[in-house]
Amino acid sequence: LHLFIRTIKSLKEGVKILKLFRDLYDAYQTELLRDTIFFQIKVQSEEGTRTLSDSETILYIEKLLNEMEGMVTLKGNLVSPQKGIESSMDKLISASEEIKERLTLILDELKVTLNCRVLIYTHDDSRYEVEIPDKYLDLSNPPRDLIIISKRKGFIRFMTSEIQVAVEELKDVEMCIKNNTVNYLKSCFQYFSDYMHLWEKISSTIANLDCLCSMAKLAIDMGNGSRPAFIEPSELQFFELSEAIQPCLNGFVNKVMPNTVILSEGKSTLLFTGTKKSGKTNTLKLIGILSILAQMGSYIPAKSFLLNPKDAILTKMDQRHWSKKNADSFQNELEDIANIINNGTSHSLLL
């Protein structure tokens, strides 16, 4: 239930974010952003199915979330429907409160009868046991209706038949409340589930906005970044990456040697050679990472980047990184090559 309530609150925060982005609509220059923040939903009405306008959609979602948030009251670990929603639960809760008030009155009467103002209820072993200092109670001649439960140093715990009857009634009412609460919560969760398509739409919209904002923040903070340029797909590979550095090292631009990789039109293969630990693997990783960022629509940490769109990035890694249990190195090599042959096309990038 705590998770359910947190989910409702999170969705309400998500709606606030949507409203904020919608207020800035005139500043957007891309259809992608406009299409992301605006969506419409269909609802059933007396006239049939109706499509809500953008403004009606937000109001409709807010009304639903407020309604669901107000369906339950949570005090500590005690759960109950909001008053006025479930009449049967209202009656049971009222009955429970009346019994507790009656138990309080019984305790007040015992304080007068036993001439002890420090009587209290305890709930250690059993609920509503009355605890009294032993100096106020003569065990050789106790009151007629007193039932001694236990003793501890300086104190005696007891109940009366009237208290026992009230406690049993309270247990029965609380059991009914518990059973009804379970059924009521099931109906609440089902009601929430009926609109799952709407919650998923809100969540995916916020996720897309988060991604777009992150990419915008990356472009702003990149400083020396550039916007990749694409040329029409063709059978010939085209790849020109100028003065690029690893994205995670962008803050150390003055301390990192940039890489330039050019695969001119008409060529399909580029071979890297060099001594051990000269940067061959890191350069291959750089090519793969920046290709992914480029096709995501992100700015990249390079002077320029011109390429064909790629339909896949296939890698042939060292067998130490991909060795499988009970498979020798030759089998691993064959499986890697088979994967490349079976899945690669003339538009794929093989590293």
Side-chain angles (χ1 to χ4, degrees):
L1 180 62
H2 286 277
L3 179 59
F4 174 73
I5 293 175
R6 286 201 300 269
T7 300
I8 298 294
K9 292 184 181 297
S10 297
L11 286 170
K12 292 183 71 174
E13 290 299 318
V15 172
K16 290 181 181 179
I17 294 173
L18 281 179
K19 292 173 67 176
L20 177 62
F21 273 87
R22 289 184 175 209
D23 291 341
L24 301 173
Y25 178 81
D26 293 335
Y28 301 143
Q29 300 179 13
T30 65
E31 290 297 325
L32 174 61
L33 195 52
R34 292 172 182 170
D35 293 341
T36 297
I37 61 174
F38 283 99
F39 58 88
Q40 296 176 326
I41 59 176
K42 296 180 179 181
V43 296
Q44 294 292 335
S45 63
E46 295 179 356
E47 295 81 17
T49 303
R50 186 170 72 90
T51 302
L52 299 181
S53 66
D54 292 325
S55 57
E56 289 177 326
T57 296
I58 290 295
L59 293 175
Y60 179 76
I61 294 172
E62 288 180 325
K63 180 181 177 181
L64 272 178
L65 290 172
N66 288 331
E67 181 182 347
M68 292 180 182
E69 188 178 37
M71 290 176 73
V72 292
T73 300
L74 185 61
K75 296 180 180 180
N77 292 322
L78 299 178
V79 181
S80 64
Q82 288 278 16
K83 192 173 182 180
I85 295 180
E86 191 76 15
S87 59
S88 60
M89 283 292 290
D90 289 344
K91 292 177 181 178
L92 288 170
I93 293 172
S94 178
S96 171
E97 292 173 350
E98 289 176 2
I99 294 172
K100 291 177 181 178
E101 289 176 4
R102 195 193 336 157
L103 284 165
T104 301
L105 292 175
I106 293 173
L107 186 66
D108 291 339
E109 292 173 359
L110 285 171
K111 289 179 180 179
V112 175
T113 302
L114 299 175
N115 194 26
C116 177
R117 296 294 176 183
V118 292
L119 284 183
I120 60 170
Y121 280 127
T122 64
H123 307 280
D124 294 338
D125 298 327
S126 300
R127 297 175 66 187
Y128 291 99
E129 291 180 355
V130 182
E131 185 172 85
I132 183 174
D134 54 10
K135 64 180 180 179
Y136 289 97
L137 193 60
D138 183 5
L139 292 180
S140 62
N141 186 25
R144 185 176 180 181
D145 194 33
L146 226 63
I147 304 170
I148 304 300
I149 303 298
S150 62
K151 301 177 183 178
R152 68 183 183 90
K153 187 175 181 180
F155 294 91
I156 298 173
R157 291 180 180 177
F158 67 89
M159 296 182 77
T160 65
S161 57
E162 189 177 11
I163 293 176
Q164 288 180 327
V165 169
V167 169
E168 289 303 316
E169 290 178 6
L170 182 61
K171 288 180 180 179
D172 291 340
V173 171
E174 288 178 340
M175 181 57 68
C176 291
I177 291 176
K178 181 179 178 181
N179 294 335
N180 283 24
T181 299
V182 171
N183 294 330
Y184 178 74
L185 289 178
K186 286 181 180 178
S187 67
C188 291
F189 296 154
Q190 183 58 53
Y191 185 45
F192 179 85
S193 180
D194 291 341
Y195 294 92
M196 189 59 69
H197 64 284
L198 192 54
W199 315 139
E200 289 175 349
K201 180 64 177 177
I202 294 173
S203 299
S204 64
T205 299
I206 296 300
N208 289 335
L209 287 174
D210 181 39
C211 180
L212 293 172
C213 289
S214 297
M215 291 168 63
K217 180 71 164 56
L218 175 67
I220 293 172
D221 294 344
M222 197 170 289
N224 64 328
S226 64
R227 181 177 181 178
F230 289 90
I231 61 176
E232 290 295 325
S234 68
E235 296 300 319
L236 299 176
Q237 294 283 0
F238 199 90
F239 194 97
E240 290 188 358
L241 181 62
S242 177
E243 297 183 18
I245 62 173
Q246 287 278 0
C248 57
L249 299 177
N250 189 54
F252 305 94
V253 62
N254 296 326
K255 301 179 182 179
V256 177
M257 179 68 69
N259 289 280
T260 296
V261 180
I262 299 177
L263 186 63
S264 302
E265 187 174 354
K267 298 181 180 179
S268 61
T269 305
L270 187 63
L271 179 64
F272 290 168
T273 62
T275 59
K276 188 176 181 180
K277 294 187 177 181
S278 60
K280 300 185 295 297
T281 301
N282 284 334
T283 303
L284 289 175
K285 290 179 180 179
L286 173 67
I287 292 171
I289 292 171
L290 295 191
S291 297
I292 292 173
L293 287 175
Q295 295 200 192
M296 284 173 55
S298 172
Y299 273 58
I300 60 164
K303 184 177 181 179
S304 63
F305 192 13
L306 182 64
L307 72 160
N308 308 97
K310 309 301 179 186
D311 61 5
I313 297 179
L314 304 169
T315 62
K316 173 64 186 74
M317 304 299 294
D318 187 276
Q319 64 91 19
R320 288 175 298 175
H321 303 301
W322 292 97
S323 59
K324 299 177 182 178
K325 189 176 182 180
N326 300 325
D328 57 32
S329 58
F330 182 63
Q331 180 179 344
N332 290 329
E333 296 284 349
L334 291 178
E335 289 180 355
D336 286 343
I337 296 299
N339 176 61
I340 293 171
I341 294 174
N342 293 331
N343 296 294
T345 71
S346 58
H347 302 296
S348 301
L349 177 63
L350 171 59
L351 301 176

